[in-house]
Short mmCIF file of all heavy atoms in Angstrom, two decimals:
data_model
loop_
_atom_site.label_atom_id
_atom_site.label_comp_id
_atom_site.label_asym_id
_atom_site.label_seq_id
_atom_site.Cartn_x
_atom_site.Cartn_y
_atom_site.Cartn_z
N TYR A 1 0.83 -1.20 0.00
CA TYR A 1 0.00 0.00 0.00
C TYR A 1 0.87 1.25 0.00
O TYR A 1 1.84 1.35 0.74
CB TYR A 1 -0.93 0.00 1.21
CG TYR A 1 -2.16 -0.85 1.00
CD1 TYR A 1 -2.24 -2.13 1.53
CD2 TYR A 1 -3.23 -0.39 0.22
CE1 TYR A 1 -3.37 -2.93 1.33
CE2 TYR A 1 -4.35 -1.17 0.01
CZ TYR A 1 -4.41 -2.44 0.57
OH TYR A 1 -5.52 -3.21 0.35
N HIS A 2 0.50 2.21 -0.83
CA HIS A 2 1.25 3.46 -0.95
C HIS A 2 0.37 4.51 -1.60
O HIS A 2 -0.73 4.21 -2.09
CB HIS A 2 2.52 3.25 -1.78
CG HIS A 2 2.25 2.86 -3.20
ND1 HIS A 2 1.83 1.59 -3.57
CD2 HIS A 2 2.33 3.57 -4.37
CE1 HIS A 2 1.67 1.53 -4.87
NE2 HIS A 2 1.95 2.72 -5.38
N THR A 3 0.83 5.73 -1.62
CA THR A 3 0.13 6.83 -2.30
C THR A 3 1.12 7.60 -3.16
O THR A 3 2.35 7.48 -2.99
CB THR A 3 -0.52 7.81 -1.30
OG1 THR A 3 0.52 8.39 -0.48
CG2 THR A 3 -1.53 7.11 -0.41
N HIS A 4 0.59 8.39 -4.08
CA HIS A 4 1.40 9.29 -4.90
C HIS A 4 0.86 10.71 -4.76
O HIS A 4 -0.34 10.90 -4.54
CB HIS A 4 1.33 8.91 -6.39
CG HIS A 4 1.71 7.50 -6.69
ND1 HIS A 4 3.00 7.04 -6.58
CD2 HIS A 4 0.97 6.45 -7.11
CE1 HIS A 4 3.03 5.77 -6.92
NE2 HIS A 4 1.82 5.38 -7.24
N ASN A 5 1.73 11.68 -4.92
CA ASN A 5 1.30 13.06 -5.00
C ASN A 5 0.79 13.39 -6.40
O ASN A 5 0.15 14.42 -6.61
CB ASN A 5 2.45 14.02 -4.64
CG ASN A 5 2.85 13.89 -3.18
OD1 ASN A 5 2.02 13.65 -2.33
ND2 ASN A 5 4.15 14.06 -2.92
N LYS A 6 1.10 12.51 -7.35
CA LYS A 6 0.68 12.71 -8.73
C LYS A 6 -0.45 11.73 -9.07
O LYS A 6 -0.52 10.63 -8.53
CB LYS A 6 1.85 12.46 -9.69
CG LYS A 6 3.08 13.34 -9.47
CD LYS A 6 4.21 12.91 -10.40
CE LYS A 6 5.50 13.69 -10.14
NZ LYS A 6 5.43 15.05 -10.65
N ASP A 7 -1.33 12.14 -9.99
CA ASP A 7 -2.29 11.20 -10.56
C ASP A 7 -1.53 10.15 -11.36
O ASP A 7 -0.50 10.44 -11.98
CB ASP A 7 -3.27 11.92 -11.50
CG ASP A 7 -4.15 12.93 -10.77
OD1 ASP A 7 -4.33 12.80 -9.54
OD2 ASP A 7 -4.66 13.85 -11.43
N GLN A 8 -2.08 8.92 -11.39
CA GLN A 8 -1.40 7.82 -12.06
C GLN A 8 -2.33 7.14 -13.07
O GLN A 8 -3.51 6.91 -12.80
CB GLN A 8 -0.91 6.78 -11.05
CG GLN A 8 -0.16 5.62 -11.68
CD GLN A 8 0.27 4.57 -10.65
OE1 GLN A 8 -0.27 4.54 -9.54
NE2 GLN A 8 1.20 3.73 -11.00
N LEU A 9 -1.77 6.79 -14.22
CA LEU A 9 -2.47 6.01 -15.23
C LEU A 9 -1.60 4.80 -15.54
O LEU A 9 -0.42 4.96 -15.89
CB LEU A 9 -2.67 6.85 -16.51
CG LEU A 9 -3.30 6.16 -17.72
CD1 LEU A 9 -4.73 5.73 -17.42
CD2 LEU A 9 -3.26 7.09 -18.93
N LEU A 10 -2.15 3.58 -15.40
CA LEU A 10 -1.33 2.41 -15.64
C LEU A 10 -2.06 1.32 -16.39
O LEU A 10 -3.28 1.20 -16.31
CB LEU A 10 -0.76 1.85 -14.33
CG LEU A 10 -1.65 1.08 -13.37
CD1 LEU A 10 -0.82 0.26 -12.41
CD2 LEU A 10 -2.55 2.02 -12.58
N PHE A 11 -1.30 0.51 -17.14
CA PHE A 11 -1.83 -0.64 -17.84
C PHE A 11 -0.67 -1.55 -18.22
O PHE A 11 0.50 -1.20 -18.07
CB PHE A 11 -2.63 -0.23 -19.08
CG PHE A 11 -1.80 0.03 -20.32
CD1 PHE A 11 -1.82 -0.86 -21.37
CD2 PHE A 11 -1.03 1.18 -20.43
CE1 PHE A 11 -1.07 -0.61 -22.52
CE2 PHE A 11 -0.30 1.44 -21.57
CZ PHE A 11 -0.32 0.53 -22.63
N SER A 12 -1.01 -2.76 -18.70
CA SER A 12 0.01 -3.67 -19.22
C SER A 12 -0.49 -4.28 -20.52
O SER A 12 -1.70 -4.39 -20.75
CB SER A 12 0.32 -4.78 -18.21
OG SER A 12 -0.78 -5.66 -18.10
N HIS A 13 0.45 -4.68 -21.36
CA HIS A 13 0.09 -5.33 -22.62
C HIS A 13 -0.29 -6.79 -22.41
O HIS A 13 -1.07 -7.34 -23.19
CB HIS A 13 1.25 -5.24 -23.61
CG HIS A 13 1.47 -3.88 -24.17
ND1 HIS A 13 0.61 -3.28 -25.06
CD2 HIS A 13 2.47 -2.98 -23.96
CE1 HIS A 13 1.06 -2.09 -25.38
NE2 HIS A 13 2.19 -1.88 -24.73
N HIS A 14 0.28 -7.43 -21.38
CA HIS A 14 0.03 -8.84 -21.14
C HIS A 14 -0.06 -9.09 -19.64
O HIS A 14 0.48 -8.34 -18.84
CB HIS A 14 1.14 -9.70 -21.74
CG HIS A 14 1.32 -9.53 -23.21
ND1 HIS A 14 0.46 -10.06 -24.13
CD2 HIS A 14 2.25 -8.86 -23.92
CE1 HIS A 14 0.86 -9.73 -25.35
NE2 HIS A 14 1.94 -8.99 -25.25
N GLY A 15 -0.73 -10.16 -19.26
CA GLY A 15 -0.87 -10.49 -17.84
C GLY A 15 -2.03 -9.73 -17.21
O GLY A 15 -2.82 -9.09 -17.89
N CYS A 16 -2.10 -9.80 -15.91
CA CYS A 16 -3.23 -9.20 -15.19
C CYS A 16 -2.72 -8.54 -13.92
O CYS A 16 -1.83 -9.05 -13.25
CB CYS A 16 -4.24 -10.30 -14.84
SG CYS A 16 -5.81 -9.70 -14.21
N MET A 17 -3.30 -7.39 -13.61
CA MET A 17 -3.01 -6.70 -12.36
C MET A 17 -4.25 -6.65 -11.49
O MET A 17 -5.37 -6.54 -12.01
CB MET A 17 -2.52 -5.27 -12.63
CG MET A 17 -1.09 -5.18 -13.06
SD MET A 17 -0.52 -3.45 -13.17
CE MET A 17 -1.12 -3.02 -14.81
N VAL A 18 -4.05 -6.73 -10.18
CA VAL A 18 -5.13 -6.53 -9.22
C VAL A 18 -4.78 -5.30 -8.40
O VAL A 18 -3.69 -5.22 -7.81
CB VAL A 18 -5.30 -7.74 -8.30
CG1 VAL A 18 -6.38 -7.47 -7.25
CG2 VAL A 18 -5.67 -8.98 -9.11
N ILE A 19 -5.68 -4.34 -8.37
CA ILE A 19 -5.46 -3.11 -7.62
C ILE A 19 -6.41 -3.09 -6.43
O ILE A 19 -7.63 -3.21 -6.60
CB ILE A 19 -5.70 -1.88 -8.52
CG1 ILE A 19 -4.79 -1.95 -9.74
CG2 ILE A 19 -5.47 -0.58 -7.75
CD1 ILE A 19 -5.16 -0.97 -10.82
N SER A 20 -5.86 -2.96 -5.25
CA SER A 20 -6.66 -2.96 -4.02
C SER A 20 -6.62 -1.57 -3.40
O SER A 20 -5.55 -0.96 -3.28
CB SER A 20 -6.12 -3.98 -3.02
OG SER A 20 -6.16 -5.28 -3.57
N LEU A 21 -7.80 -1.07 -3.05
CA LEU A 21 -7.94 0.20 -2.36
C LEU A 21 -8.75 -0.05 -1.10
O LEU A 21 -9.15 -1.18 -0.84
CB LEU A 21 -8.64 1.24 -3.24
CG LEU A 21 -8.03 1.51 -4.61
CD1 LEU A 21 -8.68 0.65 -5.67
CD2 LEU A 21 -8.18 2.97 -4.98
N ASP A 22 -9.00 0.98 -0.34
CA ASP A 22 -9.79 0.84 0.87
C ASP A 22 -11.21 0.43 0.50
O ASP A 22 -12.00 1.22 0.00
CB ASP A 22 -9.81 2.17 1.65
CG ASP A 22 -10.56 2.06 2.96
OD1 ASP A 22 -10.73 0.93 3.46
OD2 ASP A 22 -10.99 3.10 3.49
N GLY A 23 -11.52 -0.85 0.72
CA GLY A 23 -12.87 -1.32 0.50
C GLY A 23 -13.22 -1.69 -0.92
O GLY A 23 -14.37 -2.02 -1.21
N VAL A 24 -12.24 -1.71 -1.83
CA VAL A 24 -12.52 -2.04 -3.22
C VAL A 24 -11.36 -2.85 -3.80
O VAL A 24 -10.19 -2.56 -3.55
CB VAL A 24 -12.73 -0.78 -4.09
CG1 VAL A 24 -13.02 -1.16 -5.54
CG2 VAL A 24 -13.84 0.09 -3.54
N LYS A 25 -11.71 -3.88 -4.56
CA LYS A 25 -10.72 -4.65 -5.33
C LYS A 25 -11.03 -4.46 -6.80
O LYS A 25 -12.17 -4.61 -7.23
CB LYS A 25 -10.80 -6.13 -4.96
CG LYS A 25 -9.89 -7.03 -5.78
CD LYS A 25 -10.04 -8.49 -5.36
CE LYS A 25 -9.17 -9.40 -6.22
NZ LYS A 25 -9.27 -10.81 -5.79
N CYS A 26 -10.00 -4.11 -7.60
CA CYS A 26 -10.18 -3.89 -9.03
C CYS A 26 -9.28 -4.85 -9.80
O CYS A 26 -8.13 -5.07 -9.42
CB CYS A 26 -9.81 -2.46 -9.42
SG CYS A 26 -10.71 -1.18 -8.53
N VAL A 27 -9.80 -5.39 -10.88
CA VAL A 27 -9.02 -6.26 -11.76
C VAL A 27 -8.72 -5.51 -13.05
O VAL A 27 -9.62 -4.91 -13.65
CB VAL A 27 -9.77 -7.57 -12.04
CG1 VAL A 27 -9.08 -8.36 -13.14
CG2 VAL A 27 -9.83 -8.41 -10.77
N LEU A 28 -7.47 -5.56 -13.45
CA LEU A 28 -7.02 -4.83 -14.64
C LEU A 28 -6.44 -5.82 -15.64
O LEU A 28 -5.25 -6.15 -15.59
CB LEU A 28 -5.96 -3.79 -14.24
CG LEU A 28 -5.56 -2.77 -15.29
CD1 LEU A 28 -6.74 -1.89 -15.65
CD2 LEU A 28 -4.41 -1.92 -14.78
N PRO A 29 -7.27 -6.34 -16.55
CA PRO A 29 -6.75 -7.25 -17.57
C PRO A 29 -5.97 -6.47 -18.62
O PRO A 29 -5.98 -5.23 -18.64
CB PRO A 29 -8.03 -7.85 -18.16
CG PRO A 29 -9.07 -6.82 -17.93
CD PRO A 29 -8.71 -6.12 -16.66
N PRO A 30 -5.30 -7.17 -19.52
CA PRO A 30 -4.50 -6.49 -20.54
C PRO A 30 -5.33 -5.53 -21.38
O PRO A 30 -6.49 -5.80 -21.70
CB PRO A 30 -3.97 -7.65 -21.39
CG PRO A 30 -3.98 -8.82 -20.47
CD PRO A 30 -5.17 -8.63 -19.59
N MET A 31 -4.70 -4.41 -21.69
CA MET A 31 -5.28 -3.39 -22.55
C MET A 31 -6.50 -2.70 -21.95
O MET A 31 -7.28 -2.06 -22.65
CB MET A 31 -5.60 -3.94 -23.94
CG MET A 31 -4.37 -4.48 -24.65
SD MET A 31 -2.93 -3.36 -24.61
CE MET A 31 -3.53 -1.98 -25.58
N ARG A 32 -6.68 -2.83 -20.64
CA ARG A 32 -7.55 -1.92 -19.91
C ARG A 32 -6.66 -1.12 -18.98
O ARG A 32 -5.68 -1.63 -18.44
CB ARG A 32 -8.62 -2.67 -19.10
CG ARG A 32 -9.80 -3.11 -19.94
CD ARG A 32 -11.00 -3.43 -19.08
NE ARG A 32 -12.17 -3.69 -19.90
CZ ARG A 32 -12.64 -4.90 -20.17
NH1 ARG A 32 -12.02 -5.96 -19.69
NH2 ARG A 32 -13.70 -5.06 -20.93
N ALA A 33 -6.99 0.14 -18.78
CA ALA A 33 -6.17 1.02 -17.96
C ALA A 33 -6.87 1.35 -16.66
O ALA A 33 -8.09 1.32 -16.56
CB ALA A 33 -5.86 2.31 -18.73
N ALA A 34 -6.07 1.69 -15.66
CA ALA A 34 -6.59 2.16 -14.37
C ALA A 34 -6.16 3.60 -14.18
O ALA A 34 -4.98 3.94 -14.36
CB ALA A 34 -6.07 1.30 -13.23
N TRP A 35 -7.12 4.45 -13.81
CA TRP A 35 -6.83 5.83 -13.47
C TRP A 35 -6.94 5.96 -11.95
O TRP A 35 -7.98 5.71 -11.37
CB TRP A 35 -7.82 6.78 -14.15
CG TRP A 35 -7.64 8.20 -13.72
CD1 TRP A 35 -8.43 8.91 -12.86
CD2 TRP A 35 -6.58 9.08 -14.10
NE1 TRP A 35 -7.94 10.18 -12.70
CE2 TRP A 35 -6.79 10.31 -13.45
CE3 TRP A 35 -5.47 8.94 -14.95
CZ2 TRP A 35 -5.93 11.38 -13.61
CZ3 TRP A 35 -4.61 10.02 -15.09
CH2 TRP A 35 -4.85 11.23 -14.43
N ILE A 36 -5.82 6.34 -11.29
CA ILE A 36 -5.77 6.42 -9.84
C ILE A 36 -5.40 7.85 -9.45
O ILE A 36 -4.23 8.26 -9.59
CB ILE A 36 -4.74 5.43 -9.26
CG1 ILE A 36 -5.04 4.01 -9.74
CG2 ILE A 36 -4.75 5.48 -7.73
CD1 ILE A 36 -4.01 2.99 -9.32
N PRO A 37 -6.35 8.65 -9.00
CA PRO A 37 -6.03 10.02 -8.62
C PRO A 37 -5.04 10.10 -7.46
O PRO A 37 -4.92 9.16 -6.66
CB PRO A 37 -7.40 10.60 -8.21
CG PRO A 37 -8.40 9.74 -8.92
CD PRO A 37 -7.79 8.37 -8.93
N ALA A 38 -4.35 11.21 -7.38
CA ALA A 38 -3.36 11.44 -6.33
C ALA A 38 -3.99 11.30 -4.95
O ALA A 38 -5.15 11.66 -4.74
CB ALA A 38 -2.76 12.83 -6.48
N GLY A 39 -3.19 10.75 -4.02
CA GLY A 39 -3.62 10.68 -2.63
C GLY A 39 -4.43 9.46 -2.27
O GLY A 39 -4.69 9.22 -1.07
N ILE A 40 -4.84 8.64 -3.24
CA ILE A 40 -5.60 7.43 -2.95
C ILE A 40 -4.63 6.30 -2.60
O ILE A 40 -3.78 5.92 -3.41
CB ILE A 40 -6.48 7.01 -4.15
CG1 ILE A 40 -7.57 8.05 -4.39
CG2 ILE A 40 -7.10 5.64 -3.91
CD1 ILE A 40 -8.49 7.72 -5.56
#
């Protein structure tokens, strides 16, 4: 768990990412992006 002072946009071409926040789990399959505002 960590935060950034900057907004973040992330994705991958292959594989899968799981993004966990307070009370929410998000799945990020290939070629879908996640937008994570600063401070989250």
Side-chain angles (χ1 to χ4, degrees):
Y1 279 100
H2 64 285
T3 61
H4 304 291
N5 294 326
K6 301 175 185 286
D7 295 338
Q8 182 182 18
L9 176 64
L10 75 162
F11 83 107
S12 69
H13 288 289
H14 301 285
C16 190
M17 282 187 276
V18 177
I19 303 167
S20 300
L21 305 94
D22 183 20
V24 180
K25 175 180 178 178
C26 304
V27 170
L28 191 64
M31 301 312 294
R32 280 198 173 102
W35 175 256
I36 305 175
I40 294 180

